[in-house]
Amino acid sequence: MPTYTAPTRDARFVINEVLDLPSLNNQAGFETATPDLVETILSEAGRFTAEVLAPLNRVGDEEGCVRHEDGSVTTPPGFKDAYQQFVEAGWGTLTAPEEFGGQGLPHVIGFAVEEFISAANQAFGMYPGLANGAVAALIATGSQAQKEQYLPRMVAGEWLGTMNLTEPQCGTDLGMIRTKAEPQADGSYAITGTKIFISAGEHDLTDNIIHLVLAKTPGAPDSTKGISLFVVPKVLVNEDGSLGERNGVTCGSIEEKMGIHGNSTCLLNYDGAKGWLVGEENRGLAAMFIMMNAARLGVGIQGLAQAEVSYQNAVTYATERRQGRALTGPAEPEAQADPIFVHADVRRMLMDAKAFNEGMRALCLWGALLVDLTHRAQTEEERAEADLLIGLLTPVIKGYGTDKGYEVATNMQQVYGGHGYVREWGMEQFVRDARIAQIYEGTNGVQAMDLCGRKLPQKGGAAIQAFFKLIGDEIATAKNDEGLAALAAKLEKAVGDQQAATMWFMQNAMQNPNHLGAGAHNYMHLMGIVTLGYMWLRMARIAQQQLASGAGDEAFYQAKLTTARYYMERYLPDTGSFRRKIEAGADSMMALPQEAFATAA
């Protein structure tokens, strides 16, 4: 049976030392986020996720959700009780505004807890995770009446929420949606249509589910410019706040999925369901993107989470499983064989995982801090730069983070050899659960195109210029430090590859847009490697400072320096390969006619 231990020490290191959250405690919104509070929250979250959620991960996978004849859905055994414990402990309120019953803590703390939840039980974490996105959308675009009616109970966890975009005929191209919203005399709308792939669309965890639904009003443009957003509760809410009659939305079926069996991914039928417009008519896509951007960061964390839990179990297995002898001679001569941990190829997989996981954790938490700074930084200039940077980094966190997270999960399965392919060891579930993160909330191909087609040229390239300046300043500082200069030189070369690839797009994509499409995936990975390199250089600098000061925990900081060196030596060289692929352009990729792809008899 797999186990999980939340990486609280590493999260504290990133939050308190690398990102230096205590230095912000004189700014509004950060006052209460002291190191002591951070340690308490992370420790308690680590205990809750390890003791309550992790044991249910396999239960959820094997039992799944059950749809009944009346359209109701029962979650796996133990999920409802675990959710009640989640609510009673206030885990869903951490970062929500105090105005609606939240604790108002920085997102950087909430993101750390979100990783622990996803690693312990990804399917469970999706229930409150989707609700967080719905809350964010209502806060940003809902009317005051809608906020007062729904948000206190959603923040408290009494009600959960969903996002309803996809339909059978459209996924990425939302302009093709057919769900209709007919205005009614009382100011509401009758919502009719079918939505698919709706995570947490129906369940027994709460008495009500607040659906946010994209639909088109009569006469709306037949494109993305004609999409409106509606709030559609599963159960109608009376004026006094009590629950009324069941609304016209039902679960038609639960998808039979490769993984995340513990989450109810539903086909929802809307049959004249009563809904209310959120924000302006025909401006629904902009409102929904508030949810989607939050969700994309959450999905990036899921990629990290599955990589982390699979890594932890692979390390345990590698220290216990005995096969063969070390190439340098028996490591444990008294035993019949050495642990497979001594073999360089096993070390390669484990070190690749460790370097990615710790670098990705730093990136996700930096991203969370940028989200905080877009709202809480002291100056408008700082808020604007933080907003530019997190916009640029979101597709990298989601796309690169989940591609590599899945790769790490499969490599950790590989550490087990044949046992990794057998269900009883649990590794194949991590692989199956990790796979969805590359697909939902915009496939990773969409993320790559968003990065290259929208984020790079946005505002004259202001975001990528700010990104390069940040890394350039860190490199310049490190090059003057004898202990960091070699690391900085390797990162500088990798940054040069990304800058060259960026310039190649500028010079070639306008004349042939397929050049951009052909290289976008490679560019996203190139930027992901560079960004994690930046995080590793920052972590190495802090680790070196702590060692020099005699701060203690010497083994932890030494491991950081060694892993930073490994990352720079083993990950950064790949940027040259990605650059050459980008510069190869699209000609050969697009040259064959469609019929040439068919297999001849």
Side-chain angles (χ1 to χ4, degrees):
M1 176 71 73
T3 60
Y4 174 67
T5 301
T8 56
R9 175 66 182 94
D10 200 52
R12 291 200 314 273
F13 166 70
V14 175
I15 293 171
N16 291 331
E17 300 175 53
V18 179
L19 300 178
D20 196 14
L21 189 64
S23 69
L24 300 174
N25 63 12
N26 63 333
Q27 298 186 28
F30 293 98
E31 307 96 331
T32 60
T34 63
D36 285 346
L37 181 67
V38 170
E39 181 170 4
T40 298
I41 290 174
L42 297 185
S43 296
E44 285 302 306
R47 182 197 60 76
F48 174 76
T49 54
E51 295 178 7
V52 178
L53 298 187
L56 295 175
N57 195 38
R58 186 164 183 171
V59 174
D61 186 58
E62 294 181 344
E63 298 289 338
C65 296
V66 178
R67 177 188 176 277
H68 306 285
E69 287 190 10
D70 63 355
S72 64
V73 171
T74 302
T75 51
F79 270 47
K80 190 169 185 177
D81 178 64
Y83 182 71
Q84 287 306 308
Q85 293 183 58
F86 175 90
V87 170
E88 290 167 7
W91 292 118
T93 70
L94 284 179
T95 61
E98 294 177 86
E99 176 186 0
F100 302 111
Q103 299 181 50
L105 290 168
H107 286 85
V108 68
I109 299 174
F111 272 39
V113 174
E114 193 169 337
E115 182 206 330
F116 300 170
I117 293 170
S118 291
N121 195 322
Q122 180 173 323
F124 176 93
M126 291 170 65
Y127 291 101
L130 267 296
N132 289 339
V135 166
L138 286 172
I139 288 173
T141 60
S143 67
Q144 188 59 34
Q146 288 168 347
K147 293 176 184 178
E148 292 173 359
Q149 185 172 38
Y150 299 113
L151 290 180
R153 292 186 177 183
M154 294 178 75
V155 168
E158 186 178 343
W159 297 343
L160 286 173
T162 70
M163 54 193 295
N164 285 230
L165 292 79
T166 308
E167 299 182 10
Q169 77 287 350
C170 73
T172 301
D173 190 354
L174 291 171
M176 297 172 64
I177 67 171
R178 296 173 185 161
T179 299
K180 297 297 182 184
E182 296 283 346
Q184 305 297 296
D186 63 358
S188 67
Y189 289 77
I191 312 297
T192 301
T194 298
K195 297 290 184 178
I196 64 171
F197 303 157
I198 308 306
S199 300
E202 173 62 30
H203 54 76
D204 60 349
L205 300 184
T206 56
D207 293 333
N208 207 358
I209 303 171
I210 309 305
H211 303 293
L212 291 186
V213 184
L214 291 184
K216 290 182 178 178
T217 55
D222 192 20
S223 67
T224 56
K225 294 181 180 179
I227 297 174
S228 299
L229 180 65
F230 299 87
V231 57
V232 186
K234 168 186 167 180
V235 181
L236 295 173
V237 183
N238 297 321
E239 288 187 9
D240 63 0
S242 63
L243 293 181
E245 63 184 27
R246 179 68 188 261
N247 206 354
V249 51
T250 56
C251 172
S253 64
I254 298 177
E255 304 291 352
E256 295 289 338
K257 309 185 298 291
M258 175 180 176
I260 54 169
H261 297 154
N263 194 268
S264 54
T265 307
C266 299
L267 179 151
L268 293 182
N269 291 315
Y270 289 84
D271 185 15
K274 190 177 285 287
W276 288 266
L277 181 68
V278 178
E280 299 178 33
E281 188 173 353
N282 298 335
R283 297 278 297 168
L285 196 58
M288 186 61 83
F289 262 108
I290 294 169
M291 281 190 75
M292 291 179 68
N293 286 331
R296 285 170 176 175
L297 292 171
V299 172
I301 292 172
Q302 290 177 358
L304 162 64
Q306 294 306 302
E308 173 65 29
V309 67
S310 60
Y311 163 76
Q312 289 185 13
N313 285 278
V315 168
T316 299
Y317 184 83
T319 59
E320 296 174 351
R321 175 70 168 174
R322 293 181 178 274
Q323 294 286 286
R325 291 294 192 184
L327 294 177
T328 53
E332 299 183 16
E334 70 284 359
Q336 188 176 7
D338 290 332
I340 63 171
F341 201 88
V342 304
H343 301 307
D345 192 59
V346 173
R347 282 292 190 107
R348 170 188 63 83
M349 291 186 284
L350 295 176
M351 282 299 294
D352 277 355
K354 181 177 175 63
F356 168 76
N357 291 354
E358 294 177 19
M360 187 66 189
R361 180 171 299 113
L363 172 57
C364 287
L365 294 176
W366 178 42
L369 183 60
L370 289 172
V371 171
D372 289 318
L373 293 174
T374 61
H375 303 290
R376 298 176 174 181
Q378 290 183 315
T379 69
E380 178 58 35
E381 182 181 5
E382 290 174 311
R383 292 192 290 272
E385 180 170 306
D387 189 53
L388 275 175
L389 283 170
I390 192 55
L392 179 74
L393 291 170
T394 294
V396 177
I397 291 172
K398 195 283 185 185
Y400 177 74
T402 59
D403 277 352
K404 291 297 293 185
Y406 178 71
E407 180 184 311
V408 167
T410 58
N411 283 340
M412 297 305 94
Q413 181 188 37
Q414 186 77 11
V415 170
Y416 278 68
H419 291 300
Y421 202 68
V422 176
R423 189 169 179 81
E424 70 176 280
W425 289 86
M427 298 303 287
E428 54 86 38
Q429 183 190 346
F430 299 142
V431 173
R432 288 185 288 106
D433 286 353
R435 186 64 182 90
I436 185 58
Q438 298 170 280
I439 298 172
Y440 58 16
E441 304 307 340
T443 65
N444 286 357
V446 170
Q447 303 306 313
M449 286 302 296
D450 177 49
L451 172 64
C452 297
R454 293 182 64 246
K455 301 300 174 57
L456 288 184
Q458 195 171 35
K459 295 186 178 180
I464 194 65
Q465 291 172 27
F467 174 78
F468 285 141
K469 183 180 186 305
L470 271 178
I471 300 182
D473 290 346
E474 186 71 35
I475 289 171
T477 299
K479 286 173 71 175
N480 293 323
D481 186 316
E482 184 178 352
L484 301 174
L487 303 181
K490 288 180 170 59
L491 180 57
E492 187 173 40
K493 183 177 180 181
V495 172
D497 286 328
Q498 186 184 351
Q499 290 171 327
T502 307
M503 184 61 66
W504 192 89
F505 276 153
M506 292 175 61
Q507 295 170 341
N508 294 276
M510 289 291 289
Q511 64 187 36
N512 183 355
N514 279 334
H515 287 324
L516 186 77
H521 170 82
N522 300 126
Y523 187 93
M524 181 178 71
H525 276 251
L526 195 165
M527 184 170 173
I529 293 169
V530 167
T531 308
L532 261 64
Y534 169 57
M535 302 314 300
W536 269 114
L537 189 57
R538 290 178 65 175
M539 289 191 286
R541 173 169 54 81
I542 298 300
Q544 184 171 274
Q545 289 172 358
Q546 295 288 50
L547 286 169
S549 69
D553 211 351
E554 192 171 317
F556 177 85
Y557 294 116
Q558 286 288 1
K560 284 293 178 190
L561 288 174
T562 300
T563 309
R565 180 162 59 88
Y566 179 89
Y567 184 89
M568 301 304 191
E569 291 174 352
R570 306 285 297 198
Y571 271 76
L572 290 186
D574 288 345
T575 61
S577 172
F578 283 124
R579 172 187 170 182
R580 288 189 291 275
K581 289 181 180 181
I582 292 165
E583 292 173 348
D587 292 347
S588 61
M589 184 180 293
M590 308 301 290
L592 287 178
Q594 183 175 323
E595 55 269 22
F597 287 85
T599 301

